Amino acid sequence: MKKTPLNQIHKDMGAKMTDFGGWEMPVEYVGIIEEHKAVRKKCGLFDVSHMGEILVRGKNAFKSLQHIITNDLNKLEKGKILYTPICKEDGGIIDDLLVYCLQEDQYLLVVNASNIEKDFKWINKHLLEETTAENLSEQYAMLALQGPDSKKILTELTDIDLNSIDYYRFRQAKVAGVNMIVSRTGYTGELGYELYFDPEAAEKMWKELMEAGSDYGLQACGLGARDTLRLEKMYALYGNDIDESTNPFEARLSWTVSINKEEFIGKNRLSEIKKDCCQRKLTPFIIQGRGVARHGYPVYVGEEKIGEVTSGSYSPTLETGIGLAYINNDYTEAGSQIEIKVRRRKIKAEVVKGPFV
């Protein structure tokens, strides 16, 4: 398995480790529920150095990316970030990623760890002349500081005014003397920052942040809490909720498809899908009573199978089971009563509007 620069620190802290897409990553330190609540109420620190970074630059960097992504790159300017899928010709989602506008002809793409090589090949295939793509994933470590107290903690280590960084904005800055990108983004739905810097500084940054956060109850957090936090906010997880067999419209990501911009990969098919809408949609539900739905569990109304769970977990905030499922469009209205088949029994659930928190 691949290891982040902080692998040994996680083990020294007693983290439970697991294989996550070929990476040895911490699942939890003191418990998923405690770590989850720390992020909602105070602050948590995540090692997300497994994420990928691809630099696209050159004379036709803008035109190339505008053709590759479904969102509109015209929304960007230096210091701004754009969330977007990249799709195949049939509308299937190759990946969802962030685009950072470093300057007019330079963009940093932050992609899912499991898709780095696939994305890199796809992007290279569709670049115009005088434009290059570089896989810089091994040149970046990445930490996510997330929670209501994240600004207070980070302020103690940097001389920039964090109030100057709005949501989905970033700045080049020094934190604890280390040059980095400070990004007002995250995967938890809380106030937070994602930090990109040289891997050689990873241990120093982890220790400096943990020390600065000691008076604020900063908690080291693993991928377990990251998953429950994102699920409560209905943030899609690639490989679970979205993949090459799903499209942005059924995944409730229609806002990421700028259908009226110039030609882009998948535009024709996505235009057709938009007209007819979808036979199914990614739908949030809450379990009635005990039980937890997991990825792959079938969804029923009576004896009719109407869908399948993509993500499911216990919600530490709501103290009950929650989940997402692709469900037949006839049953996606809030208040619809459904059942999830858990092994040999069915548990009752109710469709809700979402997000859960």
Side-chain angles (χ1 to χ4, degrees), residues 69-274:
I69 68 173
T70 62
N71 213 328
D72 189 355
L73 212 57
N74 282 303
K75 297 175 184 177
L76 277 189
E77 59 188 39
K78 184 178 178 180
K80 287 188 176 182
I81 307 161
L82 184 70
Y83 172 80
T84 182
I86 52 177
C87 290
K88 300 187 299 179
E89 292 290 358
D90 65 2
I93 301 172
I94 293 172
D95 201 4
D96 65 326
L97 50 94
L98 297 180
V99 182
Y100 285 67
C101 181
L102 302 179
Q103 56 189 52
E104 187 177 342
D105 59 354
Q106 286 193 25
Y107 300 90
L108 185 69
L109 279 53
V110 181
V111 305
N112 285 299
S114 60
N115 293 333
I116 295 172
E117 293 301 325
K118 178 179 72 169
D119 291 358
F120 185 60
K121 289 178 182 177
W122 182 264
I123 290 163
N124 261 313
K125 180 181 177 182
H126 295 96
L127 289 181
L128 298 173
E129 59 184 11
E130 298 183 72
T131 307
T132 62
E134 294 178 79
N135 182 0
L136 302 182
S137 302
E138 293 185 2
Q139 297 182 32
Y140 283 98
M142 182 178 172
L143 295 178
L145 186 69
Q146 302 283 303
D149 290 334
S150 58
K151 184 185 292 185
K152 296 176 185 176
I153 295 170
L154 198 55
T155 295
E156 296 197 3
L157 296 174
T158 185
D159 57 359
I160 66 167
D161 180 9
L162 294 175
N163 290 315
S164 68
I165 310 178
D166 293 330
Y167 191 47
Y168 267 64
R169 305 289 192 278
F170 71 94
R171 282 184 62 179
Q172 302 279 350
K174 278 191 175 182
V175 178
V178 177
N179 291 314
M180 65 178 65
I181 292 173
V182 177
S183 172
R184 175 65 183 85
T185 48
Y187 198 44
T188 65
E190 297 295 335
L191 171 67
Y193 302 87
E194 293 181 313
L195 313 174
Y196 301 82
F197 52 89
D198 191 317
E200 291 186 2
E203 290 193 14
K204 169 184 167 66
M205 282 311 309
W206 180 273
K207 291 173 181 176
E208 292 270 8
L209 285 164
M210 289 300 294
E211 184 176 344
S214 60
D215 291 338
Y216 297 95
L218 177 61
Q219 172 65 54
C221 297
L223 295 182
R226 192 166 183 255
D227 190 51
T228 55
L229 288 158
R230 70 91 192 168
L231 181 55
E232 287 187 345
K233 291 292 184 177
M234 275 186 67
Y235 295 157
L237 174 64
Y238 195 89
N240 277 48
D241 310 308
I242 52 175
D243 56 33
E244 294 186 17
S245 70
T246 63
N247 67 70
F249 290 101
E250 63 187 5
R252 297 183 186 267
L253 294 173
S254 59
W255 57 276
T256 67
V257 181
S258 297
I259 211 74
N260 294 322
K261 73 171 185 174
E262 59 269 32
E263 189 63 34
F264 63 91
I265 300 170
K267 178 176 180 176
N268 291 339
R269 179 60 185 135
L270 288 170
S271 297
E272 294 173 0
I273 293 170
K274 184 181 180 182

Side-chain angles (χ1 to χ4, degrees), residues 286-290 337-340 346-350:
I286 293 180
I287 299 294
Q288 306 294 299
R290 292 185 177 183
Q337 300 300 306
I338 59 175
E339 291 182 304
I340 316 294
K346 292 179 180 177
I347 55 177
K348 296 184 183 298
E350 181 178 333

